[in-house]
Amino acid sequence: CLRRVDTFLHRGIGTKVVAAQTEAAVKHDSVEKNDGRKSLYAVQAERQEQAERSVLISCYSRIKHNMFLKYLSRHGDIKKHFFYENNGVYAVVEFARQESVASLLEGASIPRVSQESVVPFKSRLLSLRNLDSGESSNRPSSQRAQPQTAPTINDVMQRLSKQESIDQQITQLTEAYQLTEENISLRYLVCSLLKDVAAGYFPECTIKPFGSSVNGFGKLGCDLDMFLDLDGISGQNMKMPTPGLCLEYQLKMGNSERATTQNILSVIGECVEHFAPGCVGLHKILNARCPLVRFAHQPSGFQCDLTANNRVAMKSTELLYLYGELDPRVRLLVFTVRCWARTHGVTSSIPGAWITNFSLTVMVLFFLQKRSPPIIPTLDELRDLAGPADKSVIEGNDCTFVSDFGNIPLHGNTATPGQLLREFFDFYASFPFNKMSICIRKGTEQNKPEVAPLHIQNPFETSLNVSKNVNAAQLQRFTALCQESAWLSCQSQTMMPKSKRKMIESDEFTSRNISRTFWGVSCGLIWILFEHFIREGWQEKFQERSVWSNICGHLLAHIHPFRKLIRIS
Ligand code: CTP
Ligand code: MG
């Protein structure tokens, strides 16, 4: 029962790269071994191939849906298509055969412009014109174009308030925010379009999505992390030389791997900025620990981070995906906690001292490892289950873990997602962050090796702290919110009949609610005062305005029937 993965949760992505095997063999093998579930490697190969056969078309004409498809199918059978809206209507069209794309591009023309000069770089991003009837920005009439952005919080609240239980709300929330099939296809297509730019220099390269676009935890609107994979060219998967004569390429030598990565990203970044249509606002962030170029891809609306030589991040993506596939409650809890964190400003889209989604995900995984019995295994356990083909050492880091889902024993913990959410808040409300580090490799707290406020060990580069950026104030906010949410969920547990327990309420203004609220507010006030005075040292802090404004904020948040409270936890 615990191994069942609900249909909606099932994303086909998974785990391993084996240099010695061919792509097809790995693909077949990994599907077979994983009880029909595909590995990340298998899905990436499949999706990349689909993306190569696809084109992205801006539809400015009044042309009808049928007419549009009929026009395109002159070049060959169309396997899949969808329309989406993003400041105009776009169509993603996947042909059944690669030759159709070549034929379509052959028939496309260069636009005539009078004032500006065109950069003659032809790509698979096209515009549809109707020269007979003039141009119009109307959508193709017979098909609804889907937005590719996350639903608004109000929409999600509406959906959640119709649900009967917290478990149903958690499921609904995940369904509302998770990446759609179309959005994933679009992400692969954008990678494929960018690969065409990089292929000018490195014809055998690939650009693969990693991070939340493919690890199963992506929310609509999340950034597109891309990895320029040059391993096929750069000798990472080198053939053993045979005795006798042999020819070698003469290659330019860089000072270091990092310098080479920086140079490649810099040049590819320039090409993207100057040649690739639709790519704007490029920033080179080459001195970061992991050098990257960041830009916006306007037709898809994705913010893109292009990295190179980032194989460890690819491994952590595979690991997160594996955990998400092992038990449906992993994804449910990650989505809910991420949403909770975003709603309360614990995470942010702006880089800073905030906890990141990746850190938060690792915290959820650690919490699930600490259940009794554990819901997911530790990384060391996954390593011990690995077969010889799973062995992977990247830059001296042991990245080995089992890729065969069927080989991973689960322990039959039957807690519901709602129970787990409450336990999550309890767990981190009292976690000894000052002394201990979170470590999913061991699945137990470790002594903190450095003085950072929050220490989360990177699962593969174990000397690194994933949450190095987090400052003491942000960690304190997180802990305080966990305490508050634990308290609120405890209140809803004891005050509500079982059938009415939800994580979000759209309250009716009833006398019963008023009396509950009165007691709730009183307890809340005592609790908040207690918490502040204990934590802040009350003699000095008593005078400070920030304490009082904080308390007022908490109080307002508790007087919910007066404000039609719609609140998570
Ligand atoms: N990563 C990592 N160590 C970090 C930060 C990131 O290994 N300190 C890797 C993880 O595999 C992560 C990926 O880089 O999934 C992308 O990072 P980021 O975009 O920050 O996180 P996402 O998981 O993609 O989440 P989000 O939806 O916020 O983009
Ligand atoms: Mg990301």
Side-chain angles (χ1 to χ4, degrees):
C1 160
L2 287 176
R3 295 212 175 153
R4 187 179 65 83
V5 178
D6 293 351
T7 327
F8 86 89
L9 290 172
H10 190 274
R11 302 241 159 269
I13 21 187
T15 43
K16 143 192 98 159
V17 178
V18 183
Q21 288 175 273
T22 64
E23 286 196 8
V26 176
K27 202 164 144 182
H28 175 75
D29 206 29
S30 51
V31 175
E32 288 294 296
K33 281 199 304 182
N34 293 327
D35 318 329
R37 286 174 281 178
K38 291 177 185 170
S39 72
L40 177 63
Y41 191 76
V43 172
Q44 285 209 318
E46 196 177 303
R47 293 258 191 195
Q48 276 169 347
E49 196 270 326
Q50 288 166 354
E52 296 278 299
R53 288 186 275 107
S54 302
V55 290
L56 179 54
I57 303 179
S58 162
C59 302
Y60 286 109
S61 118
R62 222 176 247 283
I63 197 160
K64 297 250 187 320
H65 171 204
N66 288 350
M67 228 163 115
F68 172 74
L69 293 177
K70 199 169 155 206
Y71 172 74
L72 291 188
S73 54
R74 293 191 309 187
H75 300 284
D77 292 342
I78 292 171
K79 199 163 175 201
K80 265 190 250 155
H81 74 279
F82 63 90
F83 293 94
Y84 70 89
E85 188 142 359
N86 177 40
N87 293 324
V89 171
Y90 288 85
V92 172
V93 180
E94 182 195 325
F95 284 96
R97 283 179 303 280
Q98 185 83 55
E99 308 85 82
S100 307
V101 176
S103 157
L104 180 120
L105 295 181
E106 186 87 355
S109 56
I110 300 284
R112 264 181 275 159
V113 286
S114 47
Q115 303 286 316
E116 297 153 304
S117 147
V118 292
V119 177
F121 176 78
K122 294 179 178 175
S123 80
R124 284 176 286 138
L125 171 61
L126 301 140
S127 295
L128 186 74
R129 304 267 182 239
N130 188 341
L131 301 178
D132 292 341
S133 63
E135 283 171 13
S136 155
S137 59
N138 277 8
R139 67 178 61 175
S141 54
S142 48
Q143 177 144 346
R144 227 169 73 78
Q146 297 290 330
Q148 297 298 314
T149 48
T152 64
I153 189 81
N154 284 344
D155 286 348
V156 176
M157 294 298 186
Q158 289 285 327
R159 278 171 74 167
L160 299 201
S161 57
K162 290 188 192 116
Q163 302 305 310
E164 289 294 313
S165 67
I166 185 166
D167 291 334
Q168 287 173 1
Q169 288 182 322
I170 289 175
T171 304
Q172 274 293 318
L173 183 127
T174 309
E175 282 185 338
Y177 281 130
Q178 70 187 347
L179 299 182
T180 59
E181 167 63 29
E182 286 85 10
N183 196 272
I184 296 173
S185 299
L186 186 57
R187 284 168 189 268
Y188 276 92
L189 178 52
V190 172
C191 290
S192 173
L193 295 177
L194 288 161
K195 189 220 74 174
D196 291 349
V197 179
Y201 290 99
F202 306 108
E204 296 143 82
C205 75
T206 53
I207 291 189
K208 293 181 176 134
F210 72 97
S212 59
S213 296
V214 290
N215 66 16
F217 302 116
K219 180 184 159 194
L220 282 167
C222 69
D223 67 352
L224 173 55
D225 302 296
M226 293 180 282
F227 165 51
L228 171 63
D229 189 353
L230 301 171
D231 285 0
I233 318 168
S234 63
Q236 292 290 334
N237 299 334
M238 212 160 34
K239 284 181 259 166
M240 288 302 287
T242 46
L245 292 179
C246 79
L247 280 174
E248 276 181 355
Y249 287 100
Q250 282 203 13
L251 299 173
K252 196 137 190 150
M253 298 295 158
N255 290 338
S256 65
E257 205 169 345
R258 180 174 167 84
T260 307
T261 302
Q262 287 168 327
N263 289 339
I264 291 173
L265 280 176
S266 176
V267 173
I268 300 296
E270 295 284 334
C271 292
V272 166
E273 181 167 39
H274 296 296
F275 304 156
C279 296
V280 295
L282 184 116
H283 291 282
K284 294 180 185 175
I285 309 171
L286 300 176
N287 289 326
R289 194 185 68 75
C290 177
L292 63 105
V293 287
R294 176 169 291 170
F295 54 92
H297 185 258
Q298 278 182 327
S300 61
F302 295 145
Q303 160 150 309
C304 303
D305 280 354
L306 178 65
T307 59
N309 194 14
N310 195 7
R311 292 184 291 276
V312 180
M314 204 69 216
K315 273 321 246 191
S316 58
T317 300
E318 290 171 15
L319 179 69
L320 259 51
Y321 172 74
L322 176 81
Y323 277 129
E325 283 290 281
L326 278 185
D327 188 302
R329 290 169 295 179
V330 178
R331 290 188 67 239
L332 293 174
L333 200 62
V334 169
F335 268 92
T336 310
V337 170
R338 279 186 174 201
C339 178
W340 166 85
R342 191 58 197 269
T343 312
H344 288 288
V346 170
T347 53
S348 166
S349 58
I350 309 159
W354 293 275
I355 298 178
T356 62
N357 277 330
F358 179 60
S359 297
L360 211 51
T361 307
V362 178
M363 289 170 96
V364 174
L365 296 177
F366 181 72
F367 157 77
L368 293 172
Q369 290 173 337
K370 294 278 294 178
R371 297 304 82 212
S372 180
I375 291 183
I376 50 171
T378 67
L379 180 50
D380 274 351
E381 285 164 350
L382 293 178
R383 183 204 51 207
D384 295 344
L385 292 167
D390 297 323
K391 186 145 186 64
S392 167
V393 178
I394 300 171
E395 291 154 21
N397 301 299
D398 185 4
C399 299
T400 306
F401 59 91
V402 63
S403 59
D404 181 354
F405 299 13
N407 265 354
I408 302 171
L410 298 172
H411 301 288
N413 184 318
T414 53
T416 63
Q419 281 166 345
L420 291 173
L421 184 63
R422 279 189 290 276
E423 288 174 21
F424 174 88
F425 294 136
D426 276 337
F427 183 78
Y428 283 112
S430 56
F431 189 84
F433 288 110
N434 56 338
K435 292 200 296 275
M436 303 312 254
S437 160
I438 288 165
C439 172
I440 60 165
R441 179 164 279 284
K442 303 267 173 241
T444 52
E445 298 86 336
Q446 305 290 301
N447 287 327
K448 253 207 232 182
E450 57 187 56
V451 284
L454 175 60
H455 194 279
I456 303 176
Q457 192 188 70
N458 185 306
F460 297 117
E461 292 168 290
T462 50
S463 61
L464 298 181
N465 176 9
V466 165
S467 54
K468 202 175 158 189
N469 62 312
V470 177
N471 65 19
Q474 288 304 321
L475 177 63
Q476 199 182 36
R477 243 177 77 66
F478 171 77
T479 319
L481 282 162
C482 282
Q483 289 164 354
E484 189 187 59
S485 296
W487 183 78
L488 286 168
S489 46
C490 170
Q491 292 301 300
S492 72
Q493 272 297 94
T494 48
M495 284 172 157
M496 296 252 187
K498 204 172 175 190
S499 59
K500 294 265 188 246
R501 283 171 202 165
K502 294 189 196 177
M503 124 180 110
I504 288 165
E505 290 298 328
S506 178
D507 281 3
E508 298 289 312
F509 187 74
T510 63
S511 57
R512 224 166 140 202
N513 272 340
I514 295 171
S515 97
R516 278 174 189 168
T517 305
F518 174 77
W519 288 112
V521 168
S522 310
C523 295
L525 179 60
I526 294 162
W527 177 76
I528 290 158
L529 288 171
F530 180 73
E531 184 213 357
H532 271 288
F533 293 156
I534 292 292
R535 203 177 47 220
E536 311 278 338
W538 72 285
Q539 286 99 326
E540 318 88 44
K541 297 281 175 182
F542 197 73
Q543 309 294 336
E544 279 182 23
R545 277 182 63 187
S546 62
V547 173
W548 292 106
S549 61
N550 212 348
I551 290 168
C552 291
H554 279 294
L555 274 177
L556 279 175
H558 284 80
I559 309 174
H560 47 94
F562 301 97
R563 298 184 3 173
K564 189 168 195 274
L565 172 100
I566 293 183
R567 183 178 183 80
I568 292 183
S569 297

